[in-house]
Every structure is written in structure tokens, then in C-alpha cells.
Amino acid sequence: MAKKSFVGEIIRGIIKDNPVFVLVLGLCPVLAVSTSFENALGMAMAFTFVMLGSNIFVSLLRNQIPPGVRIPIFILIICTFVTMIDMLLEAFLPPMYEALGIFVPLIVVNCIVIGRAEAFANRNSVLPSIADGIGISIGFAAALILLGTIREVLGTGALKLVMLWSKGGELGFCPLSEVPGFSFVPNPIVFPIEPATVMITPPGAFLTIAALMLLFKILGDRKRVKQLKKEGYEI
Amino acid sequence: MSEVLIPGFMPTEDLFPIFVNAMFTKNFLLIMFLGLCSYVGLTTNSDTSKGMSMAVTFVMTMSAILTWPIYHYLLSPASIIGKDLTFLRTICFILIIASFVQLVEFIIRKFSPPLYKSLGIYLPLIATNCAVLGVVLMNIQEGYTYGASIICAFAAGLGYSWVMLATAAVREKLIMRNVDLFSGFIGAFFAATMVALIVVSYFSVVKL
């Protein structure tokens, strides 16, 4: 494998190895909690914590882990971080814990985390593994937030942007308009469209991801055709 | 902290709504979005989806049978140990499920090598199938009695199976028509949209 820069690894995780649209892994939380921007952001944060933690630990222990029992060991490592974020969310962000519900403990069986531990962290040293973790997390978060935004806008006709901010000494998700420096952002942003409730119901999730994948496939195909034409092929 | 009680063995709940909920209105694949990896990966062929559905239903039911007593008699604060060990919940459950999957793998490899071959990577991955862990976690969260939790897990397995088979039927048709754009994951998600719309709209009209 060619040596890559730290930033190169991150960008590869976002675009070429995008966990949701390219690898098609770990779809359960993506579809289930993308009903709104706020939930998508909370899930993305919890996922980033687990992804980074597991990648760092697996790559640190990669020479000690016997190959025969590596999968159970990966699961135990991931499970530790999931339990940690589960308890942290319950203690500090109870509304988000309620909203995400069963999907926080279910990060433990998320195929992306285990897949990266097996395919990347187990074969690379710590620094590239951190880069891979950051890249994959950003790719996952981008997909999740994209889906959440589209579904919230089409399903309710408005968008509530939020941010993690401590207001009055209490940590929580508060509207972006209340964060200093962002007071120009209206809350919520209203779009002049007829809300289609089906978009926030489960079939809407399938429809949105199918449409997005179709879009990316068409864009990719078009790029490939352009490339071939440049090389002198007749199409 | 309020006193925690162990729910009884015999079901005291009304079982019919639990059954219908787990199978249709809260279907694991379509409504709760659990276990989608195997869903998009295996529904290209109805034979593999049949085998996978049977394996998942079996693992779900057996893990519900095992995890309920372990949670309520070893981990919960009301247990015989008397300490609050509920933070070990996820790790215990995943270990139980993983060992069960190993057993199913042995059985399928012995009795049906072709099925074993076609299930491929997805068979060991039942252990990390969110649907299985999801159903046992949900049983605990809802505070079901032992009987009700087994019924719920079995119904969830049946719900998983019928959706797998229905989608496999739709996708096989799409693949046979040779629609290139719909042959991969995109087709799977469009098929899922259709099946999910049917379930959601049917149960928004027919109230239980």
C-alpha cells in the first residue's frame, strides 16, 4: 500500500471510501435517526467517538491480538466505547439519549466500525488509523446530516439548525440562532413548499437514500464517460 | 431510586398486539431499520433470503430465551447478586448471540453445504446483525415478561422473514427485466420503499 499523507487518508475516508454511499455499510442508524437535523448531528457525534476510540485501540493492540480470535476482541473493544458514550449521553444529554434510544447501544453492531477495525486499524499504525477514523466519521456524518436535512425540509417544510453549546452552564443542543455570532440565522428556516409527511416516515428514508444513490451513480457515470472521451473513445 | 422488580415468567400482557406489532407495525426491517446490511446484500435471490430468514428467526428466538433470565437474574439490581450491573448489558448480550451464531453455522455447514456457501460472509455476520441485538434490548427496555419476550422475538423473526421474501420477489423481477440501473443497491432501496409504503399505508387505515 502506497504511503499516504494524513490529510489524504482523511479525504479518502470521506469520498472514495464513503461508508454510506460507497461501501453501503452501517445503514441502520443512517436511515433510522435521520428524521431531523438535530438527531442526525447527535448520532454523528456518538459515532465519531466510538469510531476514533476503537480505531486507536485496535491499532495500538494490533501486534498483540491473536488472529484467530480477533473479531471477538474487536467487538469487546468497540463495546467498551459504546458503553462509555451510552453512559455519557444518559448523564449529560438526556433528551438526545431519549431521541436516539436503542440506536446508541446498537453502534456496537455497526458494520462500519468493525469493518474499519478489520480492514484498516488492524494493519496500520496509530496515526493513519486516526486519520482513517476521522475521515470515515466525517463521511458518515455528512451522509447522515445530508439525509436528515433533506428529510426534515421535505417532510416538515422547515429546518431547525442546532449546535452543541453550553447555555447557562448546561450543555445541550440549542438552536443556532441562540449561539453568539450566529444570531442572523432564523429559527426555524421556513421553506415555501408543501410538507410531504411521507418523507419523515420510514418509506421516506428508503426513498431518499435510493434517490441520493441514483444521483451519485449518474454523476459518477457522467464523469467516467467524460474521462473516456478525453482518452479518445467513441461513445 | 425506585425499587426494581423482576417481571414474572408467565405472560400477563395481551399477546396479540405484541405479535402484530413485532411482525407488521413495528417491523424490524422496514419501520425500525434494523438488520439492513443482510437485507440489501442477500435479497437478490429468494433461496438465500429464505435460508437467512430461517437462521435469523432461530437465533432471535434462542437469544431471547437466553438473555432474559441472564439480565433479570444476574445483571439487574433486583438480581441474586444484588448489584447494579446493567452497564454490562450490551457486552453480555453480544457474547450470547455470537456463541449462538457459531452453533447455527455448524448446523448449516453440516446439513446444507450449498446454503452455507451462498450465505457466505453474512452467516457469521448474524452476530453483528442489529436486528438480533435490537430485539433482545427492546424486550428488556419494554419490561416484558419471559413469555411475552419470547413471543415478541419470534414474531420479529417472522416479520424479518416475510419482508426478506417479499423484497427478494420484487428484486428478482427487476433483475430479470435487466434494468441495469436497478440491479444493485439502488434497486434494493426502491423495492424497500415500495414494500414499506404498503405496510405503512395499510396500517394507517386498518387500526388494530
mmCIF file of all heavy atoms in Angstrom, chain A residues 24 27-28 31-32 75-76 79 83 102-103 105-106 108-109 111 202-203 205-207 209-210 213-214 217, chain B residues 29-37 87 90-91 94 128 130 133-134 137 181 185-186 189 192-193 196-197 200:
data_model
loop_
_atom_site.group_PDB
_atom_site.id
_atom_site.type_symbol
_atom_site.label_atom_id
_atom_site.label_comp_id
_atom_site.label_asym_id
_atom_site.label_seq_id
_atom_site.Cartn_x
_atom_site.Cartn_y
_atom_site.Cartn_z
ATOM 1 N N VAL A 24 -21.711 1.134 1.437
ATOM 2 C CA VAL A 24 -23.068 0.701 1.813
ATOM 3 C C VAL A 24 -23.033 -0.153 3.073
ATOM 4 O O VAL A 24 -23.499 -1.282 3.104
ATOM 5 C CB VAL A 24 -23.795 -0.025 0.672
ATOM 6 C CG1 VAL A 24 -25.284 0.010 0.904
ATOM 7 C CG2 VAL A 24 -23.503 0.622 -0.631
ATOM 8 N N LEU A 27 -26.124 0.931 7.614
ATOM 9 C CA LEU A 27 -27.232 1.757 7.170
ATOM 10 C C LEU A 27 -28.297 1.948 8.230
ATOM 11 O O LEU A 27 -29.054 2.911 8.176
ATOM 12 C CB LEU A 27 -27.879 1.103 5.961
ATOM 13 C CG LEU A 27 -27.061 1.232 4.698
ATOM 14 C CD1 LEU A 27 -27.596 0.292 3.666
ATOM 15 C CD2 LEU A 27 -27.134 2.648 4.204
ATOM 16 N N CYS A 28 -28.349 1.028 9.199
ATOM 17 C CA CYS A 28 -29.477 1.066 10.133
ATOM 18 C C CYS A 28 -29.590 2.409 10.842
ATOM 19 O O CYS A 28 -30.630 3.052 10.775
ATOM 20 C CB CYS A 28 -29.372 -0.065 11.133
ATOM 21 S SG CYS A 28 -28.890 -1.602 10.384
ATOM 22 N N LEU A 31 -30.599 5.406 8.383
ATOM 23 C CA LEU A 31 -31.989 5.550 7.993
ATOM 24 C C LEU A 31 -32.878 5.851 9.187
ATOM 25 O O LEU A 31 -33.836 6.594 9.086
ATOM 26 C CB LEU A 31 -32.473 4.283 7.291
ATOM 27 C CG LEU A 31 -31.779 4.013 5.968
ATOM 28 C CD1 LEU A 31 -32.303 2.747 5.359
ATOM 29 C CD2 LEU A 31 -32.011 5.158 5.018
ATOM 30 N N ALA A 32 -32.545 5.283 10.347
ATOM 31 C CA ALA A 32 -33.478 5.371 11.467
ATOM 32 C C ALA A 32 -33.458 6.723 12.151
ATOM 33 O O ALA A 32 -34.503 7.232 12.541
ATOM 34 C CB ALA A 32 -33.181 4.279 12.470
ATOM 35 N N ILE A 75 -14.931 -6.703 18.967
ATOM 36 C CA ILE A 75 -16.267 -6.407 19.488
ATOM 37 C C ILE A 75 -16.169 -5.936 20.936
ATOM 38 O O ILE A 75 -16.847 -4.991 21.334
ATOM 39 C CB ILE A 75 -17.186 -7.641 19.355
ATOM 40 C CG1 ILE A 75 -17.467 -7.899 17.884
ATOM 41 C CG2 ILE A 75 -18.496 -7.427 20.094
ATOM 42 C CD1 ILE A 75 -18.408 -9.010 17.606
ATOM 43 N N LEU A 76 -15.290 -6.565 21.714
ATOM 44 C CA LEU A 76 -15.150 -6.146 23.110
ATOM 45 C C LEU A 76 -14.632 -4.720 23.203
ATOM 46 O O LEU A 76 -15.120 -3.918 24.009
ATOM 47 C CB LEU A 76 -14.213 -7.085 23.861
ATOM 48 C CG LEU A 76 -14.770 -8.464 24.185
ATOM 49 C CD1 LEU A 76 -13.782 -9.246 25.012
ATOM 50 C CD2 LEU A 76 -16.078 -8.343 24.937
ATOM 51 N N CYS A 79 -17.356 -2.400 22.170
ATOM 52 C CA CYS A 79 -18.412 -2.418 23.176
ATOM 53 C C CYS A 79 -18.068 -1.513 24.360
ATOM 54 O O CYS A 79 -18.937 -0.850 24.919
ATOM 55 C CB CYS A 79 -18.619 -3.847 23.642
ATOM 56 S SG CYS A 79 -20.242 -4.122 24.257
ATOM 57 N N THR A 83 -20.439 1.522 25.520
ATOM 58 C CA THR A 83 -20.964 1.657 26.875
ATOM 59 C C THR A 83 -20.612 3.014 27.458
ATOM 60 O O THR A 83 -21.423 3.660 28.134
ATOM 61 C CB THR A 83 -20.410 0.533 27.767
ATOM 62 O OG1 THR A 83 -20.626 -0.705 27.099
ATOM 63 C CG2 THR A 83 -21.105 0.495 29.102
ATOM 64 N N ILE A 102 -32.613 3.148 21.250
ATOM 65 C CA ILE A 102 -31.927 1.873 21.137
ATOM 66 C C ILE A 102 -30.717 1.950 20.204
ATOM 67 O O ILE A 102 -29.847 1.090 20.233
ATOM 68 C CB ILE A 102 -32.944 0.819 20.662
ATOM 69 C CG1 ILE A 102 -32.488 -0.598 20.983
ATOM 70 C CG2 ILE A 102 -33.245 0.977 19.211
ATOM 71 C CD1 ILE A 102 -33.560 -1.594 20.746
ATOM 72 N N PHE A 103 -30.617 3.019 19.415
ATOM 73 C CA PHE A 103 -29.551 3.056 18.423
ATOM 74 C C PHE A 103 -28.185 3.405 18.999
ATOM 75 O O PHE A 103 -27.188 3.265 18.306
ATOM 76 C CB PHE A 103 -29.917 4.003 17.278
ATOM 77 C CG PHE A 103 -30.902 3.375 16.367
ATOM 78 C CD1 PHE A 103 -32.245 3.571 16.549
ATOM 79 C CD2 PHE A 103 -30.486 2.514 15.388
ATOM 80 C CE1 PHE A 103 -33.160 2.938 15.731
ATOM 81 C CE2 PHE A 103 -31.385 1.873 14.572
ATOM 82 C CZ PHE A 103 -32.728 2.091 14.751
ATOM 83 N N PRO A 105 -26.784 1.854 21.956
ATOM 84 C CA PRO A 105 -26.139 0.552 22.160
ATOM 85 C C PRO A 105 -25.925 -0.209 20.861
ATOM 86 O O PRO A 105 -25.009 -1.031 20.774
ATOM 87 C CB PRO A 105 -27.091 -0.203 23.088
ATOM 88 C CG PRO A 105 -28.327 0.579 23.157
ATOM 89 C CD PRO A 105 -27.979 1.980 22.805
ATOM 90 N N LEU A 106 -26.708 0.086 19.844
ATOM 91 C CA LEU A 106 -26.579 -0.669 18.593
ATOM 92 C C LEU A 106 -25.388 -0.228 17.746
ATOM 93 O O LEU A 106 -25.105 -0.845 16.737
ATOM 94 C CB LEU A 106 -27.857 -0.566 17.770
ATOM 95 C CG LEU A 106 -28.972 -1.492 18.233
ATOM 96 C CD1 LEU A 106 -30.191 -1.294 17.391
ATOM 97 C CD2 LEU A 106 -28.548 -2.932 18.198
ATOM 98 N N VAL A 108 -22.604 -0.809 18.574
ATOM 99 C CA VAL A 108 -21.672 -1.926 18.757
ATOM 100 C C VAL A 108 -21.744 -2.907 17.599
ATOM 101 O O VAL A 108 -20.749 -3.542 17.249
ATOM 102 C CB VAL A 108 -21.922 -2.613 20.115
ATOM 103 C CG1 VAL A 108 -23.169 -3.426 20.105
ATOM 104 C CG2 VAL A 108 -20.759 -3.479 20.491
ATOM 105 N N VAL A 109 -22.912 -3.043 16.980
ATOM 106 C CA VAL A 109 -23.011 -3.972 15.854
ATOM 107 C C VAL A 109 -23.014 -3.223 14.525
ATOM 108 O O VAL A 109 -23.435 -3.753 13.519
ATOM 109 C CB VAL A 109 -24.257 -4.860 15.946
ATOM 110 C CG1 VAL A 109 -24.075 -5.907 16.997
ATOM 111 C CG2 VAL A 109 -25.482 -4.054 16.206
ATOM 112 N N CYS A 111 -21.660 -2.162 11.206
ATOM 113 C CA CYS A 111 -20.669 -2.825 10.359
ATOM 114 C C CYS A 111 -19.486 -1.926 10.033
ATOM 115 O O CYS A 111 -18.403 -2.423 9.792
ATOM 116 C CB CYS A 111 -21.269 -3.306 9.052
ATOM 117 S SG CYS A 111 -22.993 -3.607 9.081
ATOM 118 N N PRO A 202 -40.891 6.007 7.665
ATOM 119 C CA PRO A 202 -39.869 5.080 7.169
ATOM 120 C C PRO A 202 -39.758 4.953 5.651
ATOM 121 O O PRO A 202 -38.634 4.967 5.144
ATOM 122 C CB PRO A 202 -40.256 3.760 7.825
ATOM 123 C CG PRO A 202 -40.923 4.164 9.078
ATOM 124 C CD PRO A 202 -41.630 5.431 8.800
ATOM 125 N N PRO A 203 -40.860 4.856 4.877
ATOM 126 C CA PRO A 203 -40.648 4.739 3.424
ATOM 127 C C PRO A 203 -39.890 5.926 2.861
ATOM 128 O O PRO A 203 -39.120 5.784 1.915
ATOM 129 C CB PRO A 203 -42.063 4.671 2.852
ATOM 130 C CG PRO A 203 -42.917 4.271 3.957
ATOM 131 C CD PRO A 203 -42.291 4.755 5.201
ATOM 132 N N ALA A 205 -37.426 7.443 4.178
ATOM 133 C CA ALA A 205 -35.991 7.220 4.356
ATOM 134 C C ALA A 205 -35.446 6.380 3.222
ATOM 135 O O ALA A 205 -34.408 6.707 2.633
ATOM 136 C CB ALA A 205 -35.735 6.535 5.686
ATOM 137 N N PHE A 206 -36.153 5.290 2.900
ATOM 138 C CA PHE A 206 -35.690 4.434 1.802
ATOM 139 C C PHE A 206 -35.674 5.210 0.492
ATOM 140 O O PHE A 206 -34.744 5.103 -0.303
ATOM 141 C CB PHE A 206 -36.613 3.218 1.666
ATOM 142 C CG PHE A 206 -36.395 2.172 2.708
ATOM 143 C CD1 PHE A 206 -37.406 1.803 3.565
ATOM 144 C CD2 PHE A 206 -35.175 1.537 2.814
ATOM 145 C CE1 PHE A 206 -37.212 0.832 4.521
ATOM 146 C CE2 PHE A 206 -34.976 0.563 3.761
ATOM 147 C CZ PHE A 206 -35.993 0.208 4.619
ATOM 148 N N LEU A 207 -36.732 5.998 0.271
ATOM 149 C CA LEU A 207 -36.839 6.751 -0.974
ATOM 150 C C LEU A 207 -35.693 7.748 -1.088
ATOM 151 O O LEU A 207 -35.055 7.869 -2.136
ATOM 152 C CB LEU A 207 -38.184 7.478 -1.013
ATOM 153 C CG LEU A 207 -38.561 8.088 -2.340
ATOM 154 C CD1 LEU A 207 -38.659 7.007 -3.395
ATOM 155 C CD2 LEU A 207 -39.875 8.827 -2.237
ATOM 156 N N ILE A 209 -32.691 7.722 0.357
ATOM 157 C CA ILE A 209 -31.357 7.152 0.130
ATOM 158 C C ILE A 209 -31.273 6.568 -1.274
ATOM 159 O O ILE A 209 -30.241 6.684 -1.943
ATOM 160 C CB ILE A 209 -30.969 6.153 1.225
ATOM 161 C CG1 ILE A 209 -29.472 5.893 1.135
ATOM 162 C CG2 ILE A 209 -31.719 4.851 1.109
ATOM 163 C CD1 ILE A 209 -28.861 5.406 2.376
ATOM 164 N N ALA A 210 -32.385 5.990 -1.768
ATOM 165 C CA ALA A 210 -32.362 5.452 -3.128
ATOM 166 C C ALA A 210 -32.134 6.578 -4.128
ATOM 167 O O ALA A 210 -31.319 6.449 -5.053
ATOM 168 C CB ALA A 210 -33.669 4.741 -3.430
ATOM 169 N N MET A 213 -28.504 7.802 -3.956
ATOM 170 C CA MET A 213 -27.567 6.866 -4.578
ATOM 171 C C MET A 213 -27.666 6.915 -6.087
ATOM 172 O O MET A 213 -26.651 6.861 -6.793
ATOM 173 C CB MET A 213 -27.854 5.452 -4.091
ATOM 174 C CG MET A 213 -27.317 5.211 -2.704
ATOM 175 S SD MET A 213 -27.721 3.563 -2.228
ATOM 176 C CE MET A 213 -26.191 3.112 -1.489
ATOM 177 N N LEU A 214 -28.899 7.046 -6.583
ATOM 178 C CA LEU A 214 -29.104 7.158 -8.023
ATOM 179 C C LEU A 214 -28.390 8.395 -8.551
ATOM 180 O O LEU A 214 -27.696 8.348 -9.567
ATOM 181 C CB LEU A 214 -30.602 7.250 -8.301
ATOM 182 C CG LEU A 214 -31.081 6.963 -9.707
ATOM 183 C CD1 LEU A 214 -30.657 5.578 -10.110
ATOM 184 C CD2 LEU A 214 -32.573 7.084 -9.778
ATOM 185 N N LYS A 217 -24.707 7.880 -8.602
ATOM 186 C CA LYS A 217 -24.336 6.937 -9.669
ATOM 187 C C LYS A 217 -24.325 7.652 -11.024
ATOM 188 O O LYS A 217 -23.400 7.486 -11.819
ATOM 189 C CB LYS A 217 -25.305 5.761 -9.689
ATOM 190 C CG LYS A 217 -24.873 4.641 -10.619
ATOM 191 C CD LYS A 217 -25.890 3.525 -10.570
ATOM 192 C CE LYS A 217 -25.808 2.641 -11.794
ATOM 193 N NZ LYS A 217 -24.676 1.767 -11.842
ATOM 194 N N LEU B 29 -37.265 -4.601 9.800
ATOM 195 C CA LEU B 29 -36.529 -4.118 8.641
ATOM 196 C C LEU B 29 -37.096 -2.813 8.116
ATOM 197 O O LEU B 29 -36.357 -1.878 7.823
ATOM 198 C CB LEU B 29 -36.578 -5.163 7.530
ATOM 199 C CG LEU B 29 -35.658 -6.349 7.702
ATOM 200 C CD1 LEU B 29 -35.977 -7.396 6.675
ATOM 201 C CD2 LEU B 29 -34.223 -5.908 7.550
ATOM 202 N N LEU B 30 -38.422 -2.751 7.998
ATOM 203 C CA LEU B 30 -38.998 -1.624 7.265
ATOM 204 C C LEU B 30 -39.241 -0.410 8.136
ATOM 205 O O LEU B 30 -39.105 0.713 7.684
ATOM 206 C CB LEU B 30 -40.310 -2.048 6.620
ATOM 207 C CG LEU B 30 -40.187 -3.114 5.551
ATOM 208 C CD1 LEU B 30 -41.541 -3.488 5.049
ATOM 209 C CD2 LEU B 30 -39.331 -2.595 4.427
ATOM 210 N N ILE B 31 -39.637 -0.620 9.384
ATOM 211 C CA ILE B 31 -40.040 0.521 10.204
ATOM 212 C C ILE B 31 -38.948 0.883 11.203
ATOM 213 O O ILE B 31 -38.668 2.048 11.437
ATOM 214 C CB ILE B 31 -41.359 0.222 10.943
ATOM 215 C CG1 ILE B 31 -42.371 -0.422 10.004
ATOM 216 C CG2 ILE B 31 -41.922 1.473 11.573
ATOM 217 C CD1 ILE B 31 -42.862 0.450 8.892
ATOM 218 N N MET B 32 -38.309 -0.119 11.816
ATOM 219 C CA MET B 32 -37.282 0.174 12.811
ATOM 220 C C MET B 32 -35.894 0.283 12.180
ATOM 221 O O MET B 32 -34.956 0.700 12.838
ATOM 222 C CB MET B 32 -37.236 -0.920 13.877
ATOM 223 C CG MET B 32 -38.557 -1.249 14.509
ATOM 224 S SD MET B 32 -39.038 -0.010 15.677
ATOM 225 C CE MET B 32 -37.852 -0.315 16.961
ATOM 226 N N PHE B 33 -35.746 -0.133 10.954
ATOM 227 C CA PHE B 33 -34.456 -0.116 10.246
ATOM 228 C C PHE B 33 -33.375 -0.898 10.969
ATOM 229 O O PHE B 33 -32.290 -0.394 11.200
ATOM 230 C CB PHE B 33 -33.959 1.307 10.030
ATOM 231 C CG PHE B 33 -34.898 2.160 9.256
ATOM 232 C CD1 PHE B 33 -35.493 3.242 9.835
ATOM 233 C CD2 PHE B 33 -35.182 1.864 7.950
ATOM 234 C CE1 PHE B 33 -36.363 4.025 9.125
ATOM 235 C CE2 PHE B 33 -36.044 2.649 7.231
ATOM 236 C CZ PHE B 33 -36.634 3.738 7.818
ATOM 237 N N LEU B 34 -33.675 -2.115 11.362
ATOM 238 C CA LEU B 34 -32.632 -2.935 11.984
ATOM 239 C C LEU B 34 -32.298 -4.094 11.050
ATOM 240 O O LEU B 34 -33.187 -4.702 10.467
ATOM 241 C CB LEU B 34 -33.117 -3.476 13.329
ATOM 242 C CG LEU B 34 -33.408 -2.408 14.377
ATOM 243 C CD1 LEU B 34 -34.167 -2.990 15.537
ATOM 244 C CD2 LEU B 34 -32.125 -1.799 14.860
ATOM 245 N N GLY B 35 -31.018 -4.392 10.919
ATOM 246 C CA GLY B 35 -30.604 -5.526 10.107
ATOM 247 C C GLY B 35 -30.635 -5.263 8.613
ATOM 248 O O GLY B 35 -30.913 -6.154 7.828
ATOM 249 N N LEU B 36 -30.297 -4.029 8.220
ATOM 250 C CA LEU B 36 -30.414 -3.703 6.805
ATOM 251 C C LEU B 36 -29.263 -4.235 5.959
ATOM 252 O O LEU B 36 -29.404 -4.399 4.758
ATOM 253 C CB LEU B 36 -30.490 -2.180 6.632
ATOM 254 C CG LEU B 36 -31.831 -1.598 6.996
ATOM 255 C CD1 LEU B 36 -31.784 -0.102 6.907
ATOM 256 C CD2 LEU B 36 -32.898 -2.117 6.070
ATOM 257 N N CYS B 37 -28.099 -4.494 6.595
ATOM 258 C CA CYS B 37 -26.951 -4.937 5.805
ATOM 259 C C CYS B 37 -27.261 -6.242 5.096
ATOM 260 O O CYS B 37 -27.092 -6.361 3.887
ATOM 261 C CB CYS B 37 -25.728 -5.126 6.694
ATOM 262 S SG CYS B 37 -25.232 -3.633 7.501
ATOM 263 N N PHE B 87 -24.756 -1.996 33.255
ATOM 264 C CA PHE B 87 -23.859 -1.471 32.221
ATOM 265 C C PHE B 87 -23.198 -2.596 31.436
ATOM 266 O O PHE B 87 -22.646 -2.376 30.369
ATOM 267 C CB PHE B 87 -22.801 -0.544 32.834
ATOM 268 C CG PHE B 87 -21.856 -1.222 33.777
ATOM 269 C CD1 PHE B 87 -20.664 -1.719 33.309
ATOM 270 C CD2 PHE B 87 -22.169 -1.374 35.121
ATOM 271 C CE1 PHE B 87 -19.780 -2.343 34.162
ATOM 272 C CE2 PHE B 87 -21.297 -1.997 35.971
ATOM 273 C CZ PHE B 87 -20.101 -2.493 35.498
ATOM 274 N N THR B 90 -24.966 -4.714 27.190
ATOM 275 C CA THR B 90 -24.635 -4.856 25.775
ATOM 276 C C THR B 90 -23.595 -5.946 25.547
ATOM 277 O O THR B 90 -23.717 -6.780 24.660
ATOM 278 C CB THR B 90 -24.101 -3.520 25.236
ATOM 279 O OG1 THR B 90 -24.867 -2.475 25.804
ATOM 280 C CG2 THR B 90 -24.202 -3.462 23.758
ATOM 281 N N ILE B 91 -22.566 -5.939 26.385
ATOM 282 C CA ILE B 91 -21.449 -6.865 26.179
ATOM 283 C C ILE B 91 -21.898 -8.308 26.406
ATOM 284 O O ILE B 91 -21.541 -9.212 25.655
ATOM 285 C CB ILE B 91 -20.282 -6.431 27.085
ATOM 286 C CG1 ILE B 91 -18.979 -6.601 26.355
ATOM 287 C CG2 ILE B 91 -20.242 -7.170 28.376
ATOM 288 C CD1 ILE B 91 -17.863 -5.807 26.956
ATOM 289 N N ILE B 94 -24.137 -9.491 23.428
ATOM 290 C CA ILE B 94 -23.442 -9.732 22.174
ATOM 291 C C ILE B 94 -22.667 -11.047 22.249
ATOM 292 O O ILE B 94 -22.577 -11.787 21.276
ATOM 293 C CB ILE B 94 -22.551 -8.529 21.793
ATOM 294 C CG1 ILE B 94 -22.240 -8.538 20.310
ATOM 295 C CG2 ILE B 94 -21.249 -8.512 22.509
ATOM 296 C CD1 ILE B 94 -23.152 -7.736 19.525
ATOM 297 N N THR B 128 -23.428 -9.817 14.303
ATOM 298 C CA THR B 128 -23.432 -8.360 14.359
ATOM 299 C C THR B 128 -24.616 -7.814 13.587
ATOM 300 O O THR B 128 -24.579 -6.701 13.079
ATOM 301 C CB THR B 128 -22.138 -7.782 13.779
ATOM 302 O OG1 THR B 128 -22.035 -8.222 12.436
ATOM 303 C CG2 THR B 128 -20.941 -8.214 14.547
ATOM 304 N N CYS B 130 -27.961 -6.084 13.581
ATOM 305 C CA CYS B 130 -28.611 -5.254 14.601
ATOM 306 C C CYS B 130 -29.977 -5.798 14.992
ATOM 307 O O CYS B 130 -30.437 -5.579 16.101
ATOM 308 C CB CYS B 130 -28.796 -3.826 14.159
ATOM 309 S SG CYS B 130 -28.062 -3.358 12.650
ATOM 310 N N LEU B 133 -29.653 -8.164 18.135
ATOM 311 C CA LEU B 133 -29.378 -7.422 19.370
ATOM 312 C C LEU B 133 -30.526 -6.465 19.680
ATOM 313 O O LEU B 133 -30.889 -6.268 20.840
ATOM 314 C CB LEU B 133 -28.060 -6.655 19.224
ATOM 315 C CG LEU B 133 -27.568 -5.952 20.477
ATOM 316 C CD1 LEU B 133 -27.290 -6.955 21.565
ATOM 317 C CD2 LEU B 133 -26.324 -5.150 20.211
ATOM 318 N N GLY B 134 -31.109 -5.902 18.629
ATOM 319 C CA GLY B 134 -32.213 -4.968 18.821
ATOM 320 C C GLY B 134 -33.388 -5.607 19.516
ATOM 321 O O GLY B 134 -33.967 -5.024 20.434
ATOM 322 N N LEU B 137 -32.608 -6.241 23.256
ATOM 323 C CA LEU B 137 -32.560 -4.980 24.006
ATOM 324 C C LEU B 137 -33.954 -4.403 24.193
ATOM 325 O O LEU B 137 -34.288 -3.860 25.246
ATOM 326 C CB LEU B 137 -31.683 -3.968 23.281
ATOM 327 C CG LEU B 137 -30.182 -4.143 23.383
ATOM 328 C CD1 LEU B 137 -29.480 -3.140 22.504
ATOM 329 C CD2 LEU B 137 -29.727 -3.973 24.817
ATOM 330 N N LEU B 181 -29.934 0.009 -14.181
ATOM 331 C CA LEU B 181 -29.836 1.000 -13.119
ATOM 332 C C LEU B 181 -30.309 0.435 -11.781
ATOM 333 O O LEU B 181 -29.843 0.825 -10.723
ATOM 334 C CB LEU B 181 -30.693 2.211 -13.512
ATOM 335 C CG LEU B 181 -30.240 3.572 -13.015
ATOM 336 C CD1 LEU B 181 -28.782 3.768 -13.340
ATOM 337 C CD2 LEU B 181 -31.067 4.636 -13.686
ATOM 338 N N PHE B 185 -27.668 -1.875 -5.292
ATOM 339 C CA PHE B 185 -28.273 -1.403 -4.045
ATOM 340 C C PHE B 185 -29.460 -0.476 -4.301
ATOM 341 O O PHE B 185 -30.406 -0.453 -3.527
ATOM 342 C CB PHE B 185 -27.233 -0.666 -3.221
ATOM 343 C CG PHE B 185 -26.157 -1.556 -2.718
ATOM 344 C CD1 PHE B 185 -24.836 -1.336 -3.050
ATOM 345 C CD2 PHE B 185 -26.472 -2.636 -1.907
ATOM 346 C CE1 PHE B 185 -23.844 -2.176 -2.584
ATOM 347 C CE2 PHE B 185 -25.495 -3.467 -1.443
ATOM 348 C CZ PHE B 185 -24.172 -3.241 -1.777
ATOM 349 N N ILE B 186 -29.379 0.281 -5.406
ATOM 350 C CA ILE B 186 -30.447 1.243 -5.687
ATOM 351 C C ILE B 186 -31.771 0.527 -5.848
ATOM 352 O O ILE B 186 -32.794 0.928 -5.289
ATOM 353 C CB ILE B 186 -30.092 2.054 -6.946
ATOM 354 C CG1 ILE B 186 -28.756 2.773 -6.722
ATOM 355 C CG2 ILE B 186 -31.170 3.044 -7.275
ATOM 356 C CD1 ILE B 186 -28.168 3.346 -7.976
ATOM 357 N N PHE B 189 -33.186 -0.495 -2.553
ATOM 358 C CA PHE B 189 -33.844 0.555 -1.781
ATOM 359 C C PHE B 189 -35.174 0.956 -2.403
ATOM 360 O O PHE B 189 -36.119 1.251 -1.676
ATOM 361 C CB PHE B 189 -32.926 1.767 -1.632
ATOM 362 C CG PHE B 189 -31.820 1.513 -0.668
ATOM 363 C CD1 PHE B 189 -30.509 1.575 -1.048
ATOM 364 C CD2 PHE B 189 -32.124 1.175 0.644
ATOM 365 C CE1 PHE B 189 -29.498 1.317 -0.150
ATOM 366 C CE2 PHE B 189 -31.117 0.915 1.542
ATOM 367 C CZ PHE B 189 -29.807 0.983 1.140
ATOM 368 N N ALA B 192 -37.509 -1.665 -1.329
ATOM 369 C CA ALA B 192 -37.845 -1.473 0.084
ATOM 370 C C ALA B 192 -38.856 -0.355 0.241
ATOM 371 O O ALA B 192 -39.774 -0.444 1.068
ATOM 372 C CB ALA B 192 -36.586 -1.161 0.875
ATOM 373 N N THR B 193 -38.696 0.721 -0.558
ATOM 374 C CA THR B 193 -39.658 1.820 -0.477
ATOM 375 C C THR B 193 -41.065 1.317 -0.777
ATOM 376 O O THR B 193 -42.019 1.637 -0.066
ATOM 377 C CB THR B 193 -39.304 2.925 -1.491
ATOM 378 O OG1 THR B 193 -37.915 3.150 -1.429
ATOM 379 C CG2 THR B 193 -40.052 4.184 -1.208
ATOM 380 N N ALA B 196 -42.330 -0.932 2.081
ATOM 381 C CA ALA B 196 -42.584 -0.147 3.296
ATOM 382 C C ALA B 196 -43.831 0.713 3.145
ATOM 383 O O ALA B 196 -44.625 0.845 4.082
ATOM 384 C CB ALA B 196 -41.377 0.738 3.602
ATOM 385 N N LEU B 197 -44.018 1.281 1.950
ATOM 386 C CA LEU B 197 -45.215 2.099 1.721
ATOM 387 C C LEU B 197 -46.480 1.269 1.895
ATOM 388 O O LEU B 197 -47.464 1.724 2.488
ATOM 389 C CB LEU B 197 -45.193 2.673 0.305
ATOM 390 C CG LEU B 197 -44.624 4.076 0.150
ATOM 391 C CD1 LEU B 197 -44.592 4.458 -1.312
ATOM 392 C CD2 LEU B 197 -45.460 5.072 0.930
ATOM 393 N N VAL B 200 -46.954 0.689 5.714
ATOM 394 C CA VAL B 200 -47.320 1.901 6.446
ATOM 395 C C VAL B 200 -48.726 2.345 6.086
ATOM 396 O O VAL B 200 -49.548 2.656 6.953
ATOM 397 C CB VAL B 200 -46.297 3.018 6.180
ATOM 398 C CG1 VAL B 200 -46.785 4.337 6.706
ATOM 399 C CG2 VAL B 200 -44.975 2.668 6.818
#
